[in-house]
Amino acid sequence: MEYRSWMCVVCGWIYDEEEGLPEEGIKPGTRWEEIPDDFKCPECGATKAEFDMIEV
């Protein structure tokens, strides 16, 4: 299964599953579904519910 990218609809920050977010403790290859529901956008603080999958 290929990796996907998710964009914060508030500020445009993108979470790339392949890259993860190591500085936040999220390992590369971590699927969006595996990220805790209390995740907040590192740029603007938006909740996980405010992200949409995007095509890159």
Side-chain angles (χ1 to χ4, degrees):
M1 185 167 148
E2 61 182 74
Y3 291 110
R4 297 175 292 174
S5 295
W6 297 81
M7 183 177 73
C8 175
V9 297
V10 176
C11 73
W13 180 83
I14 295 175
Y15 172 72
D16 184 325
E17 292 179 335
E18 187 171 14
E19 293 177 12
L21 194 60
E23 61 271 21
E24 299 283 333
I26 300 171
K27 294 183 284 193
T30 301
R31 300 288 181 188
W32 184 246
E33 297 80 22
E34 299 169 357
I35 292 178
D37 289 337
D38 62 355
F39 174 81
K40 299 258 193 289
C41 175
E43 290 292 314
C44 72
T47 64
K48 184 177 175 182
E50 295 174 277
F51 279 73
D52 286 325
M53 189 179 76
I54 60 164
E55 294 289 329
V56 289

